[in-house]
Amino acid sequence: MNNVIVRDYDIPANDFTAAGEASSSVRKILVQLGVSPYVVKRTSIAMYEAEINAVIHGHGGKAHVEIDGSKVYIRISDEGPGIPDLELAMQEGYSTAPDSIREMGFGAGMGLSNIKKHSDIMKIDTEVNKGTTVHITVFFNAI
Amino acid sequence: MRIAEIAELLKAEICTKDPSQDLDILSACSADLMSDVMAFSKENAMLLTGLVNPQVVRTAEMMDIKVVVFVRGKKPQPPMIELAEEKGIVLLSTDYPLFVASGKLYSKGIRGRGE
C-alpha cells in the first residue's frame, strides 16, 4: 500500500454525544485495511482520548489523519485555553475537568498519559489562550 | 460464557436486538470511569458499569468490548441502543449492584486483568 489516505474531521464543541465519531471512523478504515487488532486498539484509544480532550477543554477542534503503509499520523488541534503547565498535565490523575465531565466518566486525569502510552510518538504544541495541538503517530509494526 | 448465560446469571434484560449466540465472554472489567477502562483493561470482552451515556458505548467500541452490563437497574436510552446495535455491541441491564454482579460472574470463571 503506497497510497496515503487522508481524512479531516470537525470535532464539535460541547457535543458529548458526537464525541468519538472521528475516532470511530478512523478505526473503521484501519480495520478495513487489515491493520493488526493491537495497532487498531492503540490508535483508537489514543485518538479517542485526544478527541474527548478537544471536546472537554478545547471548545471542539479539528482532526487530521494520514494513513500510509507503515503508520497512522493523527493531529488533533483546538483553539482552547492551552495548557499552562504541560509537565503537570501529563501526570496521571491531574485533571482540570469540571464535575460535569467527571459525571460523564471522563476527567480522571488519565487522558494525556493514555495517549502517550498508546502511541509511538506523541508531541504536544500548546500556547495559553491560543490552543493545543496533539500529534500522535502509531507504527503498524510496533512491538 | 454466552450472552444468554450471563443474562440468566444476572437476571438481566438484553436491551439490544439479535445478540450474537456465538460470542464467548472470558474476561471483564468493572468501572464507572471510562478513562480507567482505557488505561487499565487490556483484553476485556465485557464491561460492567453504573454509568449510562453514549460514551460508554464509544469506549466499548474503542476497546473491543463486546458486551456492556449496566448495573443497579440502569437502562440505556434508545440512542445508546441504536449506537450499540450499529457497532455490534450487546447491552444488558441488571438490578444487581456492581460488586454483586461482578462477584457472580467471577464465581463462574470470568476473570479480570492481572491474574
Side-chain angles (χ1 to χ4, degrees), chain B residues 18-94:
Chain B
D18 306 322
S20 162
Q21 307 293 316
D22 304 325
L23 200 57
D24 190 13
I25 299 294
L26 302 172
S27 59
C29 104
S30 303
D32 285 352
L33 270 175
M34 294 303 104
S35 298
D36 278 349
V37 176
M38 286 191 280
F40 298 114
S41 71
K42 276 200 168 161
E43 303 304 326
N44 297 314
M46 174 162 59
L47 168 67
L48 290 95
T49 185
L51 187 72
V52 187
N53 68 46
Q55 294 310 320
V56 175
V57 179
R58 294 277 185 206
T59 303
E61 181 196 3
M62 303 304 163
M63 296 301 296
D64 281 332
I65 289 171
K66 304 293 182 207
V67 181
V68 178
V69 181
F70 297 105
V71 298
R72 297 194 299 275
K74 296 184 178 185
K75 301 227 186 306
Q77 301 301 308
M80 286 180 63
I81 295 173
E82 261 173 56
L83 186 64
E85 283 172 348
E86 187 191 316
K87 309 292 180 194
I89 295 166
V90 181
L91 304 183
L92 303 179
S93 170
T94 177

Side-chain angles (χ1 to χ4, degrees), chain A residues 28-136:
Chain A
K28 210 174 282 174
I29 295 169
L30 293 175
V31 169
Q32 279 166 1
L33 289 172
V35 172
S36 81
Y38 175 70
V39 170
V40 172
K41 195 191 259 192
R42 293 187 80 208
T43 308
S44 302
I45 294 170
M47 182 171 176
Y48 181 50
E49 288 277 20
E51 197 180 342
I52 292 279
N53 271 349
V55 173
I56 295 175
H57 302 288
H59 322 308
K62 289 184 185 312
H64 174 80
V65 180
E66 294 174 17
I67 303 166
D68 67 21
S70 66
K71 66 182 182 299
V72 49
Y73 164 78
I74 298 156
R75 184 176 70 225
I76 303 226
S77 50
D78 67 54
E79 294 178 355
I83 305 170
D85 187 338
L86 192 54
E87 204 178 320
L88 184 61
M90 285 300 300
Q91 285 179 18
E92 288 190 0
Y94 178 81
S95 173
T96 57
D99 286 346
S100 59
I101 296 300
R102 295 216 175 85
E103 282 161 18
M104 302 296 283
F106 291 88
M110 299 304 292
L112 290 179
S113 56
N114 269 352
I115 297 170
K116 189 170 187 186
K117 191 154 82 182
H118 292 98
S119 58
D120 293 306
I121 304 170
M122 178 181 83
K123 187 170 159 280
I124 298 176
D125 301 320
T126 185
E127 198 177 330
V128 172
N129 297 326
K130 288 274 174 67
T132 300
T133 300
V134 181
H135 308 260
I136 297 162

